[in-house]
Coordinates of all heavy atoms in Angstrom, one line a residue:
M1 N 198.4 72.0 47.7 CA 198.5 72.2 49.1 C 198.4 73.7 49.5 O 198.0 74.0 50.6 CB 199.9 71.7 49.5 CG 200.0 71.4 51.0 SD 198.8 70.3 51.6 CE 199.7 69.6 53.0
Q2 N 198.8 74.6 48.6 CA 198.7 76.0 48.9 C 197.3 76.5 49.3 O 197.2 77.3 50.2 CB 199.1 76.8 47.7 CG 199.3 78.3 47.9 CD 200.4 78.6 48.9 OE1 201.4 77.9 49.0 NE2 200.3 79.8 49.5
Y3 N 196.3 75.9 48.7 CA 194.9 76.3 49.1 C 194.6 76.0 50.5 O 193.8 76.7 51.2 CB 193.9 75.7 48.2 CG 193.6 74.2 48.5 CD1 192.6 73.8 49.3 CD2 194.4 73.2 47.9 CE1 192.3 72.5 49.6 CE2 194.2 71.9 48.2 CZ 193.2 71.6 49.0 OH 192.9 70.2 49.3
M4 N 195.2 74.9 51.1 CA 194.9 74.5 52.5 C 195.3 75.6 53.5 O 194.8 75.7 54.5 CB 195.6 73.2 52.8 CG 194.8 72.0 52.4 SD 195.6 70.5 53.0 CE 195.3 70.6 54.8
K5 N 196.3 76.3 53.1 CA 196.9 77.3 54.0 C 195.8 78.5 54.2 O 195.9 79.2 55.2 CB 198.2 77.9 53.5 CG 199.3 76.9 53.4 CD 200.5 77.6 52.9 CE 201.7 76.6 52.8 NZ 202.9 77.1 52.2
K6 N 194.9 78.6 53.3 CA 193.9 79.7 53.4 C 192.5 79.3 53.8 O 191.7 80.2 53.9 CB 193.9 80.4 52.0 CG 195.2 81.1 51.6 CD 195.5 82.2 52.5 CE 196.8 82.9 52.1 NZ 197.3 83.9 53.1
I7 N 192.2 78.0 53.9 CA 190.9 77.6 54.3 C 190.5 78.1 55.7 O 191.3 77.9 56.6 CB 190.8 76.0 54.2 CG1 190.9 75.5 52.8 CG2 189.4 75.6 54.8 CD1 190.9 74.0 52.7
G8 N 189.4 78.7 55.8 CA 189.0 79.2 57.1 C 189.8 80.5 57.4 O 190.5 80.9 56.6
G9 N 189.6 81.0 58.6 CA 190.3 82.2 58.9 C 191.6 82.0 59.6 O 191.9 80.9 59.9
P10 N 192.3 83.1 59.9 CA 193.5 83.0 60.6 C 193.3 82.7 62.1 O 192.1 82.7 62.5 CB 194.2 84.3 60.4 CG 193.0 85.2 60.2 CD 192.0 84.5 59.5
I11 N 194.3 82.5 62.9 CA 194.1 82.3 64.3 C 193.4 83.5 64.9 O 192.4 83.4 65.7 CB 195.5 82.1 65.0 CG1 196.2 80.9 64.5 CG2 195.3 82.0 66.6 CD1 197.7 80.9 64.9
D12 N 193.8 84.7 64.6 CA 193.2 85.9 65.0 C 193.2 86.9 63.9 O 194.2 87.3 63.4 CB 194.1 86.5 66.2 CG 193.5 87.8 66.7 OD1 192.6 88.3 66.1 OD2 194.1 88.3 67.7
P13 N 192.0 87.2 63.4 CA 191.8 88.1 62.2 C 192.5 89.5 62.4 O 192.8 90.2 61.5 CB 190.3 88.2 61.9 CG 189.7 87.4 62.9 CD 190.7 86.8 63.9
E14 N 192.6 89.9 63.7 CA 193.1 91.3 64.0 C 194.7 91.2 64.1 O 195.3 92.3 64.2 CB 192.5 91.8 65.3 CG 191.0 92.0 65.2 CD 190.5 92.4 66.5 OE1 191.2 92.8 67.4 OE2 189.2 92.4 66.6
C15 N 195.3 90.0 64.1 CA 196.7 89.9 64.3 C 197.5 90.1 63.0 O 197.1 89.7 62.0 CB 197.0 88.5 64.9 SG 198.7 88.2 65.3
D16 N 198.6 90.8 63.2 CA 199.5 91.1 62.0 C 200.8 90.2 62.0 O 201.7 90.5 61.3 CB 199.9 92.5 62.0 CG 200.7 92.9 63.2 OD1 200.8 92.1 64.2 OD2 201.2 94.1 63.2
C17 N 200.8 89.1 62.8 CA 202.0 88.2 62.8 C 202.1 87.4 61.5 O 201.1 87.3 60.7 CB 202.0 87.3 64.0 SG 200.9 85.9 63.8
Y18 N 203.2 86.9 61.3 CA 203.5 86.1 60.1 C 202.5 84.9 60.0 O 202.0 84.6 58.9 CB 205.0 85.6 60.1 CG 205.3 84.6 59.0 CD1 205.6 85.1 57.7 CD2 205.3 83.3 59.2 CE1 205.9 84.3 56.7 CE2 205.6 82.4 58.1 CZ 205.9 82.9 56.9 OH 206.1 82.1 55.8
A19 N 202.3 84.2 61.1 CA 201.4 83.0 61.1 C 200.0 83.4 60.6 O 199.4 82.7 59.8 CB 201.4 82.4 62.4
C20 N 199.4 84.5 61.2 CA 198.1 84.9 60.9 C 197.9 85.5 59.5 O 196.9 85.4 58.9 CB 197.6 85.9 61.9 SG 197.3 85.1 63.5
Q21 N 199.0 86.1 59.0 CA 199.0 86.7 57.7 C 199.1 85.6 56.6 O 198.7 85.9 55.4 CB 200.1 87.7 57.5 CG 199.9 88.9 58.4 CD 198.6 89.7 58.1 OE1 198.3 90.0 57.0 NE2 197.8 89.9 59.2
N22 N 199.7 84.4 56.9 CA 200.0 83.5 55.9 C 199.3 82.1 56.0 O 199.4 81.3 55.1 CB 201.5 83.3 55.8 CG 202.2 84.5 55.3 OD1 202.1 84.9 54.1 ND2 202.9 85.2 56.2
Y23 N 198.8 81.8 57.2 CA 198.2 80.4 57.4 C 196.9 80.5 58.1 O 196.7 81.4 59.0 CB 199.2 79.6 58.3 CG 200.5 79.4 57.6 CD1 201.6 80.2 57.8 CD2 200.7 78.3 56.7 CE1 202.8 80.0 57.2 CE2 201.9 78.1 56.1 CZ 203.0 79.0 56.3 OH 204.2 78.8 55.7
S24 N 196.0 79.6 57.8 CA 194.7 79.5 58.5 C 194.9 78.7 59.8 O 195.8 77.9 59.9 CB 193.7 78.9 57.6 OG 193.9 77.5 57.5
R25 N 194.0 78.9 60.7 CA 194.1 78.1 61.9 C 193.7 76.6 61.7 O 194.3 75.7 62.3 CB 193.2 78.6 63.0 CG 191.7 78.6 62.8 CD 191.0 79.2 63.9 NE 189.6 79.2 63.7 CZ 188.7 80.0 64.4 NH1 189.2 80.7 65.4 NH2 187.5 79.9 64.2
A26 N 192.9 76.3 60.6 CA 192.6 74.9 60.2 C 193.9 74.3 59.8 O 194.2 73.1 60.1 CB 191.6 74.9 59.1
Y27 N 194.7 75.0 59.0 CA 196.0 74.4 58.5 C 197.0 74.2 59.6 O 197.6 73.1 59.7 CB 196.6 75.3 57.4 CG 197.8 74.7 56.8 CD1 197.8 73.5 56.1 CD2 199.0 75.4 56.9 CE1 198.9 73.0 55.5 CE2 200.2 74.9 56.4 CZ 200.1 73.7 55.6 OH 201.2 73.1 55.1
I28 N 197.0 75.2 60.5 CA 197.9 75.0 61.7 C 197.5 73.8 62.5 O 198.3 73.1 63.0 CB 198.0 76.3 62.5 CG1 198.7 77.4 61.6 CG2 198.7 76.1 63.8 CD1 198.6 78.8 62.2
R29 N 196.2 73.7 62.7 CA 195.7 72.5 63.5 C 196.1 71.2 62.8 O 196.5 70.3 63.5 CB 194.1 72.6 63.6 CG 193.6 71.4 64.4 CD 192.0 71.5 64.5 NE 191.5 70.5 65.3 CZ 191.3 69.2 65.0 NH1 191.6 68.8 63.8 NH2 190.8 68.4 65.9
H30 N 195.9 71.2 61.5 CA 196.4 70.0 60.7 C 197.8 69.7 61.0 O 198.2 68.5 61.2 CB 196.1 70.2 59.2 CG 196.9 69.3 58.4 ND1 196.7 68.0 58.2 CD2 198.0 69.6 57.6 CE1 197.6 67.5 57.4 NE2 198.4 68.5 57.0
L31 N 198.7 70.7 60.9 CA 200.1 70.5 61.1 C 200.4 70.0 62.5 O 201.2 69.1 62.7 CB 200.9 71.9 61.0 CG 200.9 72.5 59.6 CD1 201.5 73.9 59.6 CD2 201.7 71.6 58.6
I32 N 199.7 70.5 63.5 CA 199.9 70.0 64.9 C 199.4 68.6 65.0 O 200.1 67.7 65.6 CB 199.2 70.9 65.9 CG1 200.0 72.3 65.9 CG2 199.2 70.3 67.3 CD1 199.3 73.4 66.7
K33 N 198.3 68.2 64.5 CA 197.8 66.9 64.6 C 198.7 65.9 63.8 O 198.8 64.7 64.2 CB 196.3 66.8 64.0 CG 195.3 67.5 64.7 CD 195.2 67.0 66.1 CE 193.8 66.3 66.3 NZ 193.7 65.8 67.7
A34 N 199.4 66.4 62.8 CA 200.3 65.5 62.1 C 201.7 65.5 62.6 O 202.6 65.0 62.1 CB 200.3 66.0 60.6
N35 N 201.9 66.2 63.8 CA 203.2 66.3 64.5 C 204.2 67.0 63.6 O 205.4 66.6 63.7 CB 203.7 64.9 65.0 CG 202.9 64.4 66.1 OD1 202.5 65.2 67.0 ND2 202.6 63.1 66.2
E36 N 203.8 67.9 62.8 CA 204.7 68.7 62.0 C 205.2 69.9 62.9 O 204.4 70.6 63.4 CB 204.0 69.3 60.7 CG 203.7 68.2 59.7 CD 205.0 67.7 59.0 OE1 206.0 68.5 59.0 OE2 204.9 66.7 58.4
I37 N 206.5 70.0 63.0 CA 207.1 71.0 63.8 C 206.7 72.5 63.4 O 206.6 73.4 64.2 CB 208.6 70.9 63.9 CG1 209.2 71.7 65.1 CG2 209.3 71.3 62.6 CD1 208.8 71.1 66.4
L38 N 206.4 72.6 62.1 CA 205.9 74.0 61.7 C 204.7 74.4 62.4 O 204.6 75.7 62.7 CB 205.7 73.9 60.2 CG 205.2 75.2 59.5 CD1 206.2 76.3 59.7 CD2 204.8 75.0 58.1
G39 N 203.8 73.5 62.8 CA 202.6 73.9 63.5 C 202.9 74.7 64.8 O 202.4 75.7 65.1
V40 N 203.8 74.1 65.7 CA 204.1 74.7 66.9 C 204.9 76.0 66.7 O 204.9 76.9 67.5 CB 204.7 73.7 67.9 CG1 203.7 72.7 68.4 CG2 205.9 73.1 67.4
R41 N 205.7 76.0 65.7 CA 206.5 77.2 65.4 C 205.6 78.3 65.0 O 205.8 79.5 65.5 CB 207.5 76.9 64.3 CG 208.6 76.0 64.7 CD 209.7 75.9 63.6 NE 210.4 77.2 63.6 CZ 211.5 77.4 62.8 NH1 211.9 76.5 61.9 NH2 212.1 78.5 62.8
L42 N 204.6 78.1 64.2 CA 203.7 79.1 63.8 C 202.9 79.6 65.0 O 202.6 80.8 65.2 CB 202.7 78.6 62.7 CG 203.4 78.4 61.4 CD1 202.4 77.7 60.4 CD2 203.9 79.7 60.8
L43 N 202.4 78.7 65.9 CA 201.7 79.0 67.1 C 202.6 79.9 68.0 O 202.1 80.9 68.6 CB 201.2 77.8 67.9 CG 200.0 77.1 67.4 CD1 199.6 76.0 68.3 CD2 198.8 78.1 67.3
S44 N 203.9 79.5 68.1 CA 204.8 80.3 69.0 C 204.9 81.7 68.4 O 205.0 82.7 69.2 CB 206.2 79.6 69.0 OG 206.0 78.4 69.7
I45 N 205.1 81.8 67.1 CA 205.2 83.2 66.5 C 204.0 84.0 66.8 O 204.1 85.2 67.2 CB 205.3 83.0 64.9 CG1 206.7 82.5 64.6 CG2 205.1 84.4 64.2 CD1 206.9 82.1 63.1
H46 N 202.8 83.4 66.7 CA 201.5 84.1 67.0 C 201.5 84.5 68.5 O 201.2 85.6 68.9 CB 200.3 83.3 66.7 CG 199.0 83.9 67.2 ND1 198.5 85.1 66.7 CD2 198.3 83.6 68.3 CE1 197.4 85.4 67.4 NE2 197.3 84.5 68.3
N47 N 201.8 83.5 69.4 CA 201.7 83.8 70.8 C 202.6 84.9 71.3 O 202.3 85.7 72.1 CB 201.9 82.5 71.6 CG 200.7 81.5 71.4 OD1 199.6 81.9 71.1 ND2 201.0 80.3 71.7
I48 N 203.9 84.8 70.8 CA 204.8 85.9 71.2 C 204.4 87.2 70.7 O 204.5 88.2 71.4 CB 206.2 85.5 70.7 CG1 206.7 84.3 71.5 CG2 207.2 86.7 70.8 CD1 208.0 83.6 71.0
N49 N 203.9 87.3 69.4 CA 203.4 88.5 68.9 C 202.2 89.1 69.7 O 202.2 90.2 70.1 CB 203.0 88.4 67.4 CG 202.6 89.7 66.8 OD1 203.4 90.5 66.6 ND2 201.3 89.8 66.5
F50 N 201.3 88.2 70.1 CA 200.1 88.6 70.9 C 200.6 89.1 72.2 O 200.1 90.2 72.6 CB 199.2 87.3 71.1 CG 198.0 87.7 71.9 CD1 196.9 88.2 71.3 CD2 198.0 87.4 73.3 CE1 195.8 88.5 72.1 CE2 196.9 87.7 74.0 CZ 195.8 88.3 73.4
L51 N 201.5 88.5 72.9 CA 201.9 88.9 74.2 C 202.7 90.2 74.1 O 202.5 91.1 75.0 CB 202.7 87.8 74.9 CG 201.9 86.6 75.4 CD1 202.8 85.5 75.9 CD2 200.9 87.0 76.4
T52 N 203.5 90.4 73.1 CA 204.3 91.6 72.9 C 203.3 92.8 72.7 O 203.5 93.8 73.3 CB 205.2 91.4 71.7 OG1 206.1 90.3 72.0 CG2 206.1 92.7 71.5
K53 N 202.3 92.6 71.8 CA 201.4 93.7 71.5 C 200.5 94.0 72.8 O 200.2 95.1 73.0 CB 200.5 93.3 70.4 CG 201.2 93.2 69.0 CD 201.5 94.5 68.4 CE 202.4 94.5 67.3 NZ 202.0 93.8 66.1
L54 N 200.2 92.9 73.5 CA 199.4 93.1 74.7 C 200.2 94.0 75.7 O 199.6 94.9 76.3 CB 199.0 91.8 75.3 CG 198.2 91.9 76.7 CD1 196.9 92.6 76.5 CD2 198.0 90.5 77.2
M55 N 201.4 93.7 75.9 CA 202.2 94.5 76.8 C 202.4 95.9 76.4 O 202.5 96.8 77.2 CB 203.6 93.8 77.1 CG 203.5 92.5 77.9 SD 202.8 92.7 79.5 CE 201.2 92.1 79.3
E56 N 202.6 96.1 75.1 CA 202.6 97.5 74.5 C 201.4 98.3 74.9 O 201.4 99.4 75.3 CB 202.8 97.5 73.0 CG 204.2 97.0 72.6 CD 204.3 96.9 71.0 OE1 203.3 97.1 70.3 OE2 205.4 96.5 70.6
K57 N 200.2 97.6 74.7 CA 198.9 98.3 75.0 C 198.8 98.5 76.5 O 198.4 99.6 76.9 CB 197.8 97.4 74.6 CG 197.6 97.3 73.1 CD 196.5 96.3 72.7 CE 196.5 96.0 71.3 NZ 195.6 94.8 71.0
V58 N 199.3 97.6 77.4 CA 199.2 97.7 78.8 C 200.0 98.9 79.2 O 199.6 99.8 80.0 CB 199.6 96.5 79.5 CG1 199.9 96.7 81.0 CG2 198.6 95.4 79.4
R59 N 201.2 99.1 78.7 CA 202.1 100.2 79.0 C 201.4 101.5 78.7 O 201.4 102.5 79.5 CB 203.4 100.1 78.3 CG 204.4 99.1 78.9 CD 205.8 99.2 78.2 NE 206.4 97.9 78.4 CZ 206.5 97.0 77.4 NH1 206.1 97.3 76.2 NH2 207.1 95.8 77.6
I60 N 200.8 101.6 77.5 CA 200.1 102.8 77.1 C 198.9 103.1 78.0 O 198.7 104.2 78.5 CB 199.6 102.7 75.6 CG1 200.8 102.7 74.7 CG2 198.6 103.8 75.3 CD1 200.5 102.3 73.3
E61 N 198.2 102.0 78.4 CA 197.0 102.2 79.3 C 197.5 102.7 80.7 O 196.8 103.5 81.3 CB 196.2 100.9 79.4 CG 195.6 100.5 78.1 CD 194.6 101.5 77.5 OE1 194.0 102.3 78.2 OE2 194.5 101.5 76.2
I62 N 198.6 102.2 81.2 CA 199.1 102.6 82.5 C 199.5 104.1 82.4 O 199.2 104.9 83.3 CB 200.4 101.7 82.9 CG1 199.9 100.3 83.2 CG2 201.1 102.4 84.0 CD1 201.0 99.3 83.4
E63 N 200.2 104.5 81.3 CA 200.5 105.9 81.1 C 199.3 106.8 81.1 O 199.4 107.9 81.6 CB 201.4 106.1 79.9 CG 202.8 105.6 80.0 CD 203.6 105.7 78.7 OE1 203.0 106.3 77.7 OE2 204.7 105.2 78.6
N64 N 198.2 106.3 80.5 CA 197.0 107.1 80.4 C 196.1 106.9 81.6 O 195.0 107.5 81.6 CB 196.3 106.7 79.1 CG 197.0 107.0 77.8 OD1 197.9 107.9 77.9 ND2 196.7 106.3 76.8
D65 N 196.5 106.2 82.6 CA 195.8 105.9 83.8 C 194.4 105.3 83.5 O 193.4 105.7 84.1 CB 195.6 107.2 84.6 CG 195.2 106.8 86.0 OD1 195.5 105.7 86.5 OD2 194.6 107.7 86.7
S66 N 194.3 104.4 82.5 CA 193.1 103.8 82.1 C 193.2 102.2 82.0 O 192.5 101.6 81.2 CB 192.6 104.3 80.7 OG 193.6 104.2 79.8
L67 N 194.1 101.7 82.8 CA 194.3 100.3 82.8 C 193.1 99.4 83.2 O 192.8 98.4 82.6 CB 195.5 99.9 83.7 CG 195.9 98.4 83.7 CD1 196.3 98.0 82.3 CD2 197.0 98.2 84.7
L68 N 192.3 99.9 84.2 CA 191.1 99.1 84.6 C 190.1 99.0 83.5 O 189.5 98.0 83.4 CB 190.6 99.7 85.9 CG 191.4 99.6 87.2 CD1 190.8 100.2 88.4 CD2 191.7 98.1 87.4
E69 N 189.9 100.1 82.8 CA 188.9 100.1 81.7 C 189.4 99.1 80.6 O 188.6 98.4 80.1 CB 188.8 101.5 81.1 CG 187.6 101.6 80.1 CD 186.3 101.4 80.8 OE1 186.0 101.7 81.9 OE2 185.4 100.8 80.0
F70 N 190.7 99.2 80.3 CA 191.3 98.3 79.3 C 191.1 96.8 79.8 O 190.8 96.0 79.0 CB 192.8 98.6 79.2 CG 193.5 97.6 78.3 CD1 193.4 97.7 76.9 CD2 194.3 96.6 78.8 CE1 194.1 96.8 76.1 CE2 195.0 95.7 78.0 CZ 194.8 95.8 76.6
K71 N 191.3 96.6 81.1 CA 191.2 95.2 81.6 C 189.8 94.7 81.4 O 189.6 93.6 80.9 CB 191.5 95.2 83.1 CG 191.3 93.9 83.8 CD 191.6 94.1 85.3 CE 190.9 93.0 86.1 NZ 190.9 93.2 87.5
K72 N 188.8 95.6 81.7 CA 187.4 95.1 81.5 C 187.1 94.8 80.0 O 186.5 93.8 79.7 CB 186.4 96.3 82.0 CG 186.3 96.4 83.5 CD 185.4 97.5 83.8 CE 185.5 97.8 85.3 NZ 184.8 99.1 85.7
D73 N 187.6 95.7 79.1 CA 187.3 95.5 77.7 C 188.1 94.2 77.2 O 187.5 93.4 76.4 CB 187.9 96.6 76.9 CG 187.0 97.9 77.1 OD1 185.9 97.8 77.7 OD2 187.5 99.0 76.8
F74 N 189.3 94.0 77.7 CA 190.0 92.8 77.4 C 189.3 91.5 77.8 O 189.2 90.6 77.0 CB 191.4 92.9 78.0 CG 192.3 91.7 77.6 CD1 193.1 91.7 76.5 CD2 192.4 90.6 78.5 CE1 193.9 90.6 76.1 CE2 193.2 89.5 78.2 CZ 193.9 89.5 77.0
Y75 N 188.9 91.5 79.1 CA 188.2 90.3 79.6 C 186.9 90.1 78.8 O 186.5 88.9 78.5 CB 187.8 90.5 81.1 CG 189.0 90.3 82.0 CD1 188.9 90.5 83.3 CD2 190.2 89.8 81.5 CE1 189.9 90.3 84.2 CE2 191.3 89.6 82.4 CZ 191.1 89.8 83.7 OH 192.2 89.6 84.6
K76 N 186.2 91.2 78.5 CA 184.9 91.0 77.7 C 185.2 90.5 76.3 O 184.5 89.5 75.8 CB 184.2 92.4 77.6 CG 182.9 92.4 77.0 CD 182.3 93.7 77.0 CE 180.9 93.7 76.3 NZ 180.3 95.1 76.3
K77 N 186.2 91.0 75.7 CA 186.6 90.5 74.3 C 187.0 89.1 74.3 O 186.6 88.3 73.3 CB 187.8 91.4 73.8 CG 188.2 91.0 72.4 CD 189.3 92.0 71.9 CE 189.7 91.6 70.5 NZ 190.8 92.5 70.0
Y78 N 187.7 88.6 75.3 CA 188.1 87.2 75.3 C 187.3 86.3 76.1 O 187.7 85.1 76.4 CB 189.6 87.2 75.7 CG 190.5 87.7 74.6 CD1 190.9 89.1 74.7 CD2 190.8 87.0 73.5 CE1 191.7 89.6 73.7 CE2 191.6 87.6 72.5 CZ 192.0 88.9 72.6 OH 192.7 89.4 71.6
G79 N 186.1 86.7 76.5 CA 185.1 85.9 77.2 C 185.4 85.5 78.6 O 184.8 84.5 79.1
Y80 N 186.2 86.3 79.3 CA 186.5 86.0 80.7 C 185.5 86.9 81.5 O 185.6 88.1 81.4 CB 187.9 86.4 81.0 CG 188.4 86.0 82.4 CD1 188.6 84.7 82.7 CD2 188.6 87.0 83.3 CE1 189.1 84.3 84.0 CE2 189.0 86.7 84.6 CZ 189.3 85.3 84.9 OH 189.7 85.0 86.2
T81 N 184.7 86.3 82.3 CA 183.6 87.0 83.0 C 183.9 87.4 84.5 O 183.4 88.3 85.0 CB 182.3 86.2 83.0 OG1 182.5 84.9 83.5 CG2 181.8 86.1 81.6
N82 N 184.8 86.6 85.1 CA 185.1 86.9 86.5 C 186.0 88.2 86.6 O 187.0 88.3 85.9 CB 185.9 85.8 87.2 CG 185.0 84.6 87.3 OD1 183.8 84.7 87.3 ND2 185.6 83.4 87.6
D83 N 185.7 89.1 87.5 CA 186.5 90.3 87.6 C 187.4 90.2 88.8 O 187.2 89.6 89.7 CB 185.6 91.5 87.8 CG 185.7 92.5 86.6 OD1 186.6 93.3 86.6 OD2 184.9 92.3 85.7
Ligands
ZN1 ZN1 198.9 86.0 64.8

């Protein structure tokens, strides 16, 4: 079963959260489809980490007066095209 945790990549290869460092998104999907509570716990760990890091970056960009540029790059990175 250990090998299943590593098949495919993590949810986000750039993320340093516990879920992304230890489990593949395929394995997490399997857990969710099987109604295993670990699946949603791992997703929550990732989502909270993502939002915390995003807010840290936003604070830095506000201090540097470059929030609009950050916003454009963020939207581009995540495929959001409407400005
Ligand atoms: Zn993560």
Side-chain angles (χ1 to χ4, degrees):
M1 196 59 150
Q2 187 66 25
Y3 76 94
M4 277 187 68
K5 294 179 182 175
K6 297 291 181 189
I7 293 175
I11 300 168
D12 180 353
E14 297 175 11
C15 184
D16 63 351
C17 80
Y18 175 80
C20 290
Q21 295 300 310
N22 293 288
Y23 297 92
S24 70
R25 65 181 178 194
Y27 183 63
I28 293 172
R29 181 182 186 279
H30 158 74
L31 291 172
I32 290 170
K33 292 300 245 180
N35 288 324
E36 289 286 341
I37 194 70
L38 178 61
V40 291
R41 289 187 71 178
L42 292 171
L43 279 183
S44 294
I45 289 168
H46 170 73
N47 289 339
I48 290 169
N49 185 67
F50 178 84
L51 291 173
T52 302
K53 294 282 168 65
L54 177 61
M55 289 301 105
E56 287 174 359
K57 290 176 193 168
V58 166
R59 283 188 206 102
I60 291 168
E61 298 299 332
I62 289 171
E63 286 177 5
N64 295 335
D65 199 24
S66 55
L67 184 61
L68 291 179
E69 189 64 34
F70 174 78
K71 177 185 157 189
K72 285 180 192 168
D73 293 344
F74 181 86
Y75 282 175
K76 187 176 177 182
K77 181 177 180 179
Y78 289 99
Y80 187 74
T81 54
N82 292 343
D83 247 275

